[in-house]
């Protein structure tokens, strides 16, 4: 590279490091961002425009939609929304656009063929072609129309109010929403090819029993057995047998039976029998188990048993008992004893957090109480058989089983760890005296991450002792954290891209990318990077699990009126459920290593990776946004770029002169923007909006400039 004043030079820098809103202007690395909206740090480098989300009910995903186009001899016959059918082949579809004599058709079933007659009187005059638009802009328009046609079919979960919970186990997606019959209950639905349905779901009934053994040491009935009530004449099939204590050998076993196929109503204090043989006394009338129509539902999937067919879902809601959804979609309650035993949390039986640890099911209750099941028996709370209770001394905010066989338990103020292998050697130890976590923010990637009053905290293991140390890792975005932490609604992880995500009631989300997950046990060695998302409404409850192919799937629900009642699948598709995604990066002011020298800037080349040509708006700003030296050539006003309060003002927001990158559409290419103006430093804002463009990655910048003179 030539030296001396007046010679054009180049400076390369990678876009990396994420948000940085605290480092002094002269020290911030040029690849970081002063503001970032709907971009995220990418695990292979650069900044990636985020995925979208779309409504979901089991019907075909809008983002999978496509269209076929062909000419007919008179397309004025059609308008968007018309049904079209090939009279010869029997193919059918829905018209989404008409352009001259060309029709674009989606929801195609069968094959349209050139020369065939459609709708009885028109002839197909050109070869039907998938995605056969005349140009890229028209292709975008027609593809979005096809997606909207599919989107219109997807319905809300039946009921009233917000969706209270969503969960996936293998191929089944469940959703819970309050019934609209004023009973206070919620209904469980499954996604299907025709939308949400209750078909195939069984809400079990239950009856408490005591005197198990029946006076003659009779064994309790096996699952699948038919029982009857001697007085009531009620009959049922036993689905689960849960003992809370006692023994049939001494005729004092007690617990409850989960029942299906119930006819009649079992009465309190009657003989329970198999055929004519008594095995226990009823200790309550039989009752239907119902899900409450309020609360926040949380779930896990786990196989506590030996069979490959017993991979089941377990849930809590904070306003009713825990429950199990088995492989046959039977919903069974997890009930505490009818008469509470010493140390058990409350008569209300309302756990609000759930976790599996060392094949025990752990439940967290209000008041700082933790209860776990008998090992390998998730429905059984029996101290004699191996369940136990603990007290945390503060309200619990998170439970996370981590590698190394430690159950991490957080409160707002501190963190403890449950060490040991079983009830014989449990040891509850303080592992974070001043670091805890807010409710629903505790997640695990390589280690446990939480949001507490200081910021995002990592509870990383210390290799030499196998213990933990807490450290705050969000210093680079601390003003953003301070602005948002009181509004947090939920969190999740994205294993595929090493991300921890926090969601807030204003619709924003922080994305924390953790490089080299699994390669470090010390938070001080891991330099995390942050991005920022802005959704059109709040994500109030979000759920991440795996489908039948082991692929991560994420769903969320909102309390916002604009999205009320829908289940949304996150991280899918190019739009926010059909709306545009407006995204931008604001890069720091770069002095290219000569902060005191005035430079003339000539060109910026942006490296990017995308699946097709995209349009990017671009503005250059000089000398920390001094209005006398700002540059640009085409019009885009500051109203097109919404100001995000957490990033502060100044700089680009009053600039109305913009340029456009011109890019030839190669998979890895350089987009070029010409620059004018002189100054000691230069900053950029890169803006993109679309409802149809797939995510792309901005990778690096090469800056062309001349050094003119030292600033006087």
């Amino acid at each position: 590279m030539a030296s001396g004043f007046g010679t054009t030079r180049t400076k390369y820098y990678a876009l990396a490091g994420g948000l940085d809103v605290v480092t002094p202007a002269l020290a911030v690395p040029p690849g970081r961002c002063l503001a970032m909206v709907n971009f995220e740090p990418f695990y292979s480098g650069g900044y990636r425009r985020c995925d979208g989300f779309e409504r979901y009910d089991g019907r075909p995903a809008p983002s999978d939609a496509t269209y076929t186009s062909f000419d007919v001899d008179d397309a004025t016959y059609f308008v968007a929304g018309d049904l079209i059918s090939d009279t010869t082949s029997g193919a059918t579809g829905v018209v989404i656009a008409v352009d001259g004599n060309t029709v674009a058709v989606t929801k195609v079933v069968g094959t349209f063929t050139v020369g065939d007659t459609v709708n009885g009187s028109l002839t197909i005059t050109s070869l039907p072609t998938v995605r056969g638009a005349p140009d890229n802009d028209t292709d975008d328009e027609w593809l979005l129309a096809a997606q909207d046609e599919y989107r219109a079919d997807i319905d809300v979960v039946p009921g009233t109010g917000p969706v209270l919970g969503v969960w996936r186990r293998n191929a089944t997606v469940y959703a819970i929403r309050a019934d609209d019959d004023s009973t206070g209950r919620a209904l469980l639905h499954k996604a299907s090819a025709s939308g949400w349905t209750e078909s195939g779901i069984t809400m079990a009934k239950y009856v408490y029993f005591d005197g198990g053994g029946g006076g003659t040491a009779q064994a309790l009935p096996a699952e699948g057995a038919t029982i009857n009530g001697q007085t009531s004449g009620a009959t049922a099939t036993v689905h689960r047998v849960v003992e809370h204590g006692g023994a049939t050998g001494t005729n004092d076993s007690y617990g409850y039976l989960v029942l299906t196929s119930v006819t009649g109503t079992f009465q309190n204090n009657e003989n329970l029998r198999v055929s004519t043989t008594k095995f226990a006394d009823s200790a309550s009338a039989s009752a239907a188990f119902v899900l409450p129509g309020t609360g926040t539902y949380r779930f896990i999937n786990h196989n506590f048993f030996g069979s490959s067919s017993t991979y089941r879902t377990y849930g809590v809601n904070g306003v009713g008992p825990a429950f199990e959804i088995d492989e046959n979609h039977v919903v069974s309650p997890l009930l505490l004893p009818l008469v509470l035993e010493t140390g058990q949390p409350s008569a209300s039986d309302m756990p609000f957090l759930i976790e599996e640890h060392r094949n025990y099911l752990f439940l967290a209750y209000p008041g700082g109480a933790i209860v776990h099941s008998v090992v390998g028996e998730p429905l059984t709370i029996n101290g004699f058989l191996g369940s136990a209770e603990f007290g945390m001394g503060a309200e619990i905010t998170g439970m996370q089983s981590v590698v190394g066989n430690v159950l991490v338990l957080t409160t707002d103020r501190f963190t403890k760890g449950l060490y040991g292998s079983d009830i014989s050697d449990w040891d509850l130890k303080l592992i974070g005296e001043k670091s805890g976590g807010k409710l629903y923010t505790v997640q695990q990637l390589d280690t446990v991450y939480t949001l507490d009053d200081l910021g995002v905290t990592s509870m990383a293991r210390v290799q030499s002792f196998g213990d933990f140390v807490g450290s705050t890792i969000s210093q680079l975005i601390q003003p953003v954290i301070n602005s948002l932490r009181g509004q947090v609604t939920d969190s999740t992880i994205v294993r595929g891209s090493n991300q921890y995500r926090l969601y807030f009631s204003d619709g924003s989300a922080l994305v924390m990318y953790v490089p080299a997950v699994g390669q470090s046990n010390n938070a001080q060695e891991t330099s995390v990077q942050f991005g920022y998302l802005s959704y059109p409404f709040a994500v109030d409850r979000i759920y991440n699990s795996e489908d039948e192919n082991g692929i991560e799937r994420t769903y969320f629900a909102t309390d916002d009126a604009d999205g009320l009642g829908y289940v949304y699948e996150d991280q899918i598709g190019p739009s926010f459920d059909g709306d545009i995604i407006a995204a931008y990066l604001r890069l720091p002011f770069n002095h290219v290593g000569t902060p005191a020298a005035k430079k003339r800037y000539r060109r910026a080349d942006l490296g990017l990776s995308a699946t097709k040509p995209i349009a990017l708006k671009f503005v250059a700003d000089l000398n920390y946004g001094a209005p006398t030296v700002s540059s640009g050539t085409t019009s885009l006003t500051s109203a097109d770029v919404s100001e995000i309060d957490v990033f502060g003002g100044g700089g680009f927001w009053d600039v109305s002169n913009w340029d456009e990158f011109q890019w030839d559409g190669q998979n890895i290419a350089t987009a070029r923007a010409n620059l004018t103006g002189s100054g000691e430093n230069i900053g950029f804002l890169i803006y993109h909006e679309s409802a149809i463009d797939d995510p792309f990655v901005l990778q690096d910048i090469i800056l062309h400039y001349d050094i003119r003179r030292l600033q006087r």
Side-chain angles (χ1 to χ4, degrees), residues 282-452:
S282 61
S284 72
S286 58
F289 179 60
V290 297
L291 298 172
T294 57
T296 298
Y297 283 75
R298 300 284 143 174
F299 308 89
I300 63 167
N301 293 330
H302 188 69
N303 191 344
F304 287 92
F305 309 97
S307 171
S308 61
S309 65
T310 51
Y311 184 59
R312 296 169 178 166
T313 296
Y314 301 86
V316 295
N317 48 58
V319 291
F323 56 91
E324 172 191 82
I325 310 174
D326 73 5
E327 59 278 5
N328 296 312
H329 316 296
V330 178
V331 184
S332 302
L334 196 167
L335 301 173
L336 292 180
L338 188 61
V339 178
L340 287 180
E341 298 171 355
T342 302
Q344 290 186 337
S346 71
S348 56
D349 194 8
M350 297 180 181
F352 63 96
L353 294 175
I354 187 168
E355 178 65 306
E356 179 277 330
H357 178 64
R358 298 191 68 88
N359 216 35
Y360 293 87
L361 184 70
F362 279 76
L363 303 173
Y365 289 81
I370 303 163
V371 174
H372 71 69
S373 72
V374 173
V375 64
E377 296 288 344
L379 300 190
T380 303
I381 306 295
N382 184 323
F384 180 76
L385 295 179
S387 62
E389 299 91 28
F390 303 89
M392 280 285 284
E395 291 291 345
I396 301 162
T397 59
M399 297 194 297
Q400 189 70 57
S401 181
V402 303
V403 175
N405 293 322
V406 178
L407 180 66
V408 175
L409 303 162
T410 62
T411 73
D412 275 335
R413 304 194 311 271
F414 58 83
T415 301
K416 291 184 178 181
L418 183 66
Y419 292 76
S421 57
D422 57 39
I423 193 172
S424 67
D425 65 348
W426 290 141
D427 185 12
L428 189 61
K429 299 196 302 184
L430 185 68
I431 60 177
E433 185 176 4
K434 298 295 184 182
S435 58
K438 293 185 177 296
L439 185 62
Y440 306 136
T441 70
V442 181
Q443 300 287 346
Q444 182 187 10
L445 278 172
D446 56 329
T447 187
V448 174
Y449 296 97
T450 71
L451 176 68
D452 67 10

Side-chain angles (χ1 to χ4, degrees), residues 94 110 138 210 239 294 297 413 454 461 493 597 640 673:
V94 177
T138 305
D210 56 20
H239 183 65
T294 57
Y297 283 75
R413 304 194 311 271
L454 296 178
R461 293 186 70 85
I493 58 171
D640 294 302

Side-chain angles (χ1 to χ4, degrees), residues 558-578:
T558 181
D559 295 344
D560 191 284
D562 290 340
L564 197 68
Y566 284 103
V567 166
Y568 295 96
E569 182 165 8
D570 198 23
Q571 299 165 58
I572 185 173
S575 70
F576 286 156
D577 198 38

Side-chain angles (χ1 to χ4, degrees), residues 557-609:
T558 181
D559 295 344
D560 191 284
D562 290 340
L564 197 68
Y566 284 103
V567 166
Y568 295 96
E569 182 165 8
D570 198 23
Q571 299 165 58
I572 185 173
S575 70
F576 286 156
D577 198 38
D579 292 337
I580 65 167
I581 299 177
Y584 63 85
L585 299 174
R586 179 179 177 179
L587 300 176
F589 290 89
N590 184 7
H591 53 67
V592 293
T594 57
K598 193 168 185 177
K599 295 163 280 283
R600 179 174 181 176
Y601 297 97
R602 297 187 175 275
R603 197 175 85 202
D605 297 333
L606 176 66
L608 69 161
S609 176

